[in-house]
Amino acid sequence: MAASLQAAQLFGVAGKRVLVTGGGSGIGAMMAAGFAANGASVIIASRNAEALAATAAEVKRTTSADVETVVADLGSRAGCEALAAEVAATPLDVLVNNSGTSWGEPLDRESGRENWGWDKVLDVNVKAPFYLTRALRPALEAAAGAGAPARVVMVGSVAGLTHQPTPTHAYDTSKAA
C-alpha cells in the first residue's frame, strides 16, 4: 500500500447505510456521529424516543448526513424482528450491535422478582445481537458486493474480561459471552 493512502480510503463509509443499536446515547451515539461525519447514512435505534430525537438533531447539526431514528425494544426476539422489518427494505452495509443493559443484585439477596434482571440482561446483551443479525441477514447480503462485504460489529466490554467491584453478575457474564 502506498504511504499516501488516506484513512478514508482504507476505512471509508461514505455512501454506506449503517444501523447502530443503542444509538440514542453513549457509545452508540458517538459511533453514529462518527459514521455520519464520514458520509454514511445512519439509522439509530433505541427504546428512548427522546434520546433518539436529541442524538439525531445533534448529528444532523454537525454533519450533512441523513439520520433516521427507529424506536425499538431489543429485549425479545419479536422486538429484534420488528426492528429488522422496519429497516430491511433497503440494503444495509453495516450493523452495529451496541444495545446493552445491566442489572446488579448481591448473590444472597432475593428481589422477589425471580431472575428478572438476569433474564433481561441476557435477552438484550446476548440474544438480541443474534436475533437481529439473523433477521437482517438478507439486507446485509443485499448490500454486499465483490470486495465489499457487509459488516456486523459487535460491541463488547472489558467487564467480560475482569471481575467488577459491583454485583453485576449477569452483565459480566453477558459481556463474556
Side-chain angles (χ1 to χ4, degrees), residues 113-135:
R113 296 175 68 188
E114 188 174 343
N115 294 334
W116 77 270
W118 181 268
D119 292 340
K120 172 186 156 189
V121 170
L122 292 182
D123 286 347
V124 174
N125 296 4
V126 178
K127 294 179 185 179
F130 172 77
Y131 290 136
L132 185 59
T133 302
R134 186 173 74 176

Side-chain angles (χ1 to χ4, degrees), residues 91-112:
L92 184 66
D93 297 285
V94 181
L95 166 60
V96 180
N97 281 310
N98 172 67
S99 284
T101 191
S102 186
W103 163 80
E105 183 173 81
L107 286 174
D108 58 355
R109 181 169 174 256
E110 291 292 331
S111 65

Side-chain angles (χ1 to χ4, degrees), residues 5-88:
L5 201 56
Q6 300 294 317
Q9 292 170 293
L10 289 172
F11 307 108
V13 294
K16 302 291 184 184
R17 187 164 178 258
V18 178
L19 168 61
V20 180
T21 67
S25 62
I27 294 169
M30 288 184 273
M31 287 188 288
F35 278 110
N38 286 285
S41 172
V42 179
I43 306 160
I44 53 176
S46 168
R47 289 176 297 156
N48 187 327
E50 290 177 13
L52 285 172
T55 297
E58 179 62 18
V59 171
K60 288 177 183 179
R61 187 185 69 76
T62 58
T63 71
S64 60
D66 178 30
V67 180
E68 179 183 340
T69 63
V70 180
V71 176
D73 185 349
L74 303 182
S76 69
R77 180 177 176 175
C80 294
E81 291 172 351
L83 173 57
E86 181 87 17
V87 302

